[in-house]
Amino acid sequence: RPGAGTVRRWGDVTAVTAPWVASTGDVCPLTCGKVKMARQKIAPAGKLAVRLKEEALKNVISSLKTEGHRVTNVAREEGVFLLEITKTP
């Protein structure tokens, strides 16, 4: 389940408020499944922040684009990637 909205760090931007999901301890396909489940719980046009390992980055982005969602920000922080996803209606 996604976490509540929170202040996150995205590169130089230090105040992004969005529900979030962390999947840094998982591997695909579990990471993709967690992101999909979290995304289903947010409103259309809502945002979701995702923390994941580099190994899952390509698969998660590809899956999101295939389903028509937008990745609006990608940042790297201490070996972990942070994605901001905008859910399409």
Side-chain angles (χ1 to χ4, degrees):
R1 151 187 132 145
T6 186
V7 175
R8 310 284 299 162
R9 180 177 164 85
W10 298 88
D12 294 334
V13 178
T14 57
V16 173
T17 302
W20 58 274
V21 62
S23 190
T24 57
D26 303 317
V27 295
C28 279
L30 186 57
T31 300
C32 290
K34 280 186 173 183
V35 171
K36 186 172 187 168
M37 287 178 13
R39 200 179 59 248
Q40 291 172 346
K41 295 179 181 185
I42 61 173
K47 294 192 181 292
L48 177 67
V50 179
R51 289 179 52 90
L52 48 78
K53 294 188 295 187
E54 184 173 3
E55 296 82 25
L57 184 67
K58 184 178 177 182
N59 289 339
V60 168
I61 290 174
S62 176
S63 174
L64 290 165
K65 288 182 177 182
T66 298
E67 294 175 9
H69 304 292
R70 290 186 19 216
V71 177
T72 53
N73 197 352
V74 179
R76 186 174 189 151
E77 180 181 283
E78 298 176 14
V80 174
F81 283 85
L82 307 172
L83 302 181
E84 182 180 69
I85 300 162
T86 301
K87 183 177 179 179
T88 56

